[in-house]
Amino acid sequence: MNKQDTTYLDQLEAEAIYILREVAGQFEKPALLFSGGKDSITLVRLAEKAFRPGKFPFPLVHIDTGHNFPETISYRDNMISRIGEKLIVGHVQDSIDQGKVIEQTGKNASRNALQTVTLLDTIAENKFDACIGGARRDEEKARAKERIFSVRDEFGQWDPKRQRPELWNIYNGRIHKGENVRVFPISNWTELDVWNYIRREKIELPTIYFAHEREVITRNGQLMAAAECLNMDHEDHIERKNVRFRTVGDMTCTAAVESDADQIDDIIEEIKFSKISERGARMDDKVSEAAMEDRKKGGYF
């Protein structure tokens, strides 16, 4: 990485730290949404730079679908033990047991959409007025419509037509009772920026981001990790392939890509020449042309 690249990463880092400190200064009960993916892991590193040697002015919140990759959960627990911060876990299974959501059935069943209800309940229960997320504008076109401070109404819903201007990096966190704000400190970063920052900072990641041999099945043209939650039957042929995951989510909707990139430098080179977007491996984004926007309007982060 040359000096110019380092300066660019320094600028992105400084902007993100400024935003995190704005959240701490403007809100009474913020939280950091932690998925166990590389973007939320990057947010944790940025929070360490923003607030150490003190404690974070917010807990980490993980919405557990019950169908997460085991490697992600293991990483989450080890990280929390290392950094000594508070973790709050909302369980989709609890929402199912309480009758608030109905679990899908069939081969393509997924709990991914159900986590919105669990998230909104967790926000309400803990009275969070701001939730920090790792979404980036380059991920998906609905993400590109977001402001850094994105207001949600008292029902957790997002209206892309009612967003506040953010001129001169001035962020308005004023909200009415019941509303909350989703905050995206790395909104201006790209997937490549995140990986270059991870390399520079020597940040450890869950092993599924790196090429490894795994049992997979092909479903809807995508390689999926063979798991009981995929409701496999006799039509599903299990193979062992060398794969990695570009994005981490629920196992039922996150596809792998064939790859031999087992080092960060190899992954960065692979991304440079990829013709498929990062979220091209997310089955939940393929439901409709406006799948992400519809979920965001319903309260998805």
Side-chain angles (χ1 to χ4, degrees), residues 31-296:
L32 190 155
L33 302 179
F34 184 80
S35 67
K38 68 183 185 311
D39 298 315
S40 59
I41 291 169
T42 296
L43 284 179
V44 171
R45 172 56 58 87
L46 291 165
E48 288 180 309
K49 291 199 171 189
F51 303 112
R52 290 293 188 244
K55 300 283 286 183
F56 292 177
F58 41 68
L60 276 64
V61 174
H62 180 221
I63 303 303
D64 187 352
T65 66
H67 294 162
N68 294 93
F69 287 90
E71 295 95 329
T72 304
I73 299 300
S74 176
Y75 179 94
R76 179 200 71 185
D77 294 342
N78 289 335
M79 186 201 72
I80 290 298
S81 176
R82 175 179 61 81
I83 66 175
E85 298 293 340
K86 182 179 180 180
L87 173 69
I88 296 172
V89 181
H91 297 276
V92 170
Q93 186 62 54
D94 291 343
S95 299
I96 295 171
D97 294 342
Q98 294 163 10
K100 294 181 176 180
V101 294
I102 299 175
E103 188 159 19
Q104 298 175 356
T105 58
K107 291 188 68 170
N108 293 312
S110 174
R111 289 185 175 182
N112 195 57
L114 307 184
Q115 65 181 313
T116 296
V117 172
T118 311
L119 172 62
L120 294 178
D121 283 349
T122 303
I123 291 172
E125 180 181 345
N126 291 278
K127 296 181 173 58
F128 294 133
D129 53 1
C131 293
I132 304 162
R136 309 185 320 271
R137 290 192 177 113
D138 76 318
E139 286 184 271
E140 201 271 346
K141 55 189 176 184
R143 299 283 203 205
K145 297 179 181 180
E146 288 274 19
R147 297 289 194 265
I148 301 294
F149 276 27
S150 183
V151 178
R152 299 301 201 268
D153 67 18
E154 63 270 28
F155 303 106
Q157 297 176 328
W158 173 68
D159 184 352
K161 296 179 181 178
R162 295 182 60 198
Q163 298 202 75
R164 299 169 177 176
E166 294 180 335
L167 306 175
W168 306 290
N169 294 331
I170 296 175
Y171 304 111
N172 180 4
R174 295 181 64 183
I175 55 176
H176 298 291
K177 185 176 181 180
E179 294 178 335
N180 70 84
V181 174
R182 307 293 169 84
V183 181
F184 305 109
I186 61 171
S187 188
N188 291 328
W189 298 39
T190 66
E191 180 186 11
L192 202 54
D193 293 333
V194 172
W195 276 104
N196 278 321
Y197 189 75
I198 288 168
R199 176 172 62 180
R200 189 186 84 172
E201 296 293 312
K202 298 180 174 59
I203 299 173
E204 184 181 350
L205 295 176
T207 55
I208 57 176
Y209 276 110
F210 302 91
H212 59 288
E213 192 177 84
R214 195 184 197 105
E215 289 189 344
V216 296
I217 63 171
T218 301
R219 181 169 292 180
N220 301 319
Q222 301 265 39
L223 291 175
M224 309 293 292
E228 185 178 346
C229 60
L230 265 66
N231 299 327
M232 294 184 294
D233 58 26
H234 65 281
E235 295 180 349
D236 293 309
H237 176 59
I238 297 178
E239 305 174 88
R240 292 196 69 87
K241 289 183 177 290
N242 222 42
V243 301
R244 73 177 191 87
F245 295 85
R246 286 178 68 183
T247 179
V248 173
D250 188 292
M251 293 183 74
T252 60
C253 65
T254 306
V257 294
E258 288 195 73
S259 174
D260 293 318
D262 58 2
Q263 302 294 324
I264 287 184
D265 287 346
D266 299 329
I267 291 173
I268 288 173
E269 286 304 306
E270 191 176 85
I271 293 170
K272 285 180 180 178
F273 296 102
S274 176
K275 295 182 179 180
I276 300 174
S277 71
E278 178 184 6
R279 290 191 70 94
R282 290 293 292 269
M283 303 291 287
D284 49 329
D285 286 351
K286 300 178 185 299
V287 176
S288 71
E289 184 71 15
M292 172 65 81
E293 185 160 332
D294 290 341
R295 293 201 305 279
K296 287 171 67 64

